[in-house]
Amino acid sequence: MDRYIAFNEDLEIEGSTPIPEGLARVVMKKHIPFYMDLANRTAGLSVAKRRRVGAVIVTEQRSLFLGYNGMPSGMNNVCELPDGSTNPLVIHAEANALDKMAREGVHVEGSVCFTTTYPCPDCAKRLCAAGVKYVIYQERYHTHLAQEIFDHYGVGVFEYKQLDLRG
């Protein structure tokens, strides 16, 4: 069964999975569309050609940490190899945000990650190990392994849906 959070044009939750109490302690329901919009805007900072991904991690203290996929600082910022595949040195958006938190000594436990794309298994491992409790993603791109990792650690994963009621 898919778990999702859906908002109509008035930013009201409609026909979706109820927001768990733990998630509601970190983010107010009315802020969920804002954080997802911020993740999308952050994705726009990536220079990747194949897939631009953005992530926003919100701590229990309401601090925000942004990340997008790209090359490590100081390296040539080319995310794709000549054959069009992703450069294996690319840092994923979720990892980028977690790295910023680590550099600043920020406590991750209990945080919520908003990401434009379902995390890969490596990012799922890092998010779980760091103590992220909820992941809200916009685009399905997931593997069963990442879901198994989230399930093992008890991380709540929700798909974000913006309902289009105009048509």
Side-chain angles (χ1 to χ4, degrees):
M1 179 174 116
D2 287 343
R3 294 179 288 189
Y4 66 95
I5 298 173
F7 287 85
N8 64 25
E9 59 201 17
D10 296 321
L11 301 181
E12 292 294 327
I13 292 180
E14 188 166 297
S16 62
T17 306
I19 295 179
E21 183 180 317
L23 175 57
R25 276 196 306 268
V26 180
V27 295
M28 294 173 63
K29 116 179 141 172
K30 68 180 183 180
H31 292 157
I32 292 173
F34 169 78
Y35 293 134
M36 189 53 71
D37 180 61
L38 187 56
N40 278 293
R41 290 174 183 271
T42 302
L45 299 174
S46 173
V47 298
K49 292 179 177 66
R50 278 187 56 224
R51 177 179 296 275
R52 292 179 175 182
V53 181
V56 176
I57 298 179
V58 183
T59 69
E60 288 183 320
Q61 294 74 34
R62 311 301 188 281
S63 297
L64 306 179
F65 289 85
L66 313 178
Y68 54 89
N69 58 323
M71 296 296 289
S73 182
M75 295 188 76
N76 185 352
N77 211 4
V78 178
C79 297
E80 289 81 16
L81 299 174
D83 67 1
S85 64
T86 299
N87 187 329
L89 299 177
V90 166
I91 298 173
H92 291 189
E94 303 90 340
N96 191 335
L98 286 170
D99 291 345
K100 289 175 184 174
M101 295 175 84
R103 282 193 301 274
E104 293 189 26
V106 175
H107 185 72
V108 180
E109 186 70 34
S111 296
V112 178
C113 178
F114 292 83
T115 182
T116 57
T117 304
Y118 194 96
C120 71
D122 285 338
C123 287
K125 288 187 295 189
R126 290 201 55 198
L127 290 165
C128 292
V132 168
K133 290 298 175 201
Y134 296 94
V135 173
I136 300 175
Y137 70 95
Q138 190 165 19
E139 182 183 350
R140 290 178 185 263
Y141 187 79
H142 72 88
T143 66
H144 293 291
L145 180 56
Q147 186 63 55
E148 288 175 27
I149 294 166
F150 287 133
D151 289 345
H152 176 79
Y153 284 93
V155 172
V157 180
F158 297 88
E159 181 179 3
Y160 175 85
K161 295 181 180 182
Q162 183 71 46
L163 302 175
D164 183 8
L165 303 175
R166 292 170 285 186

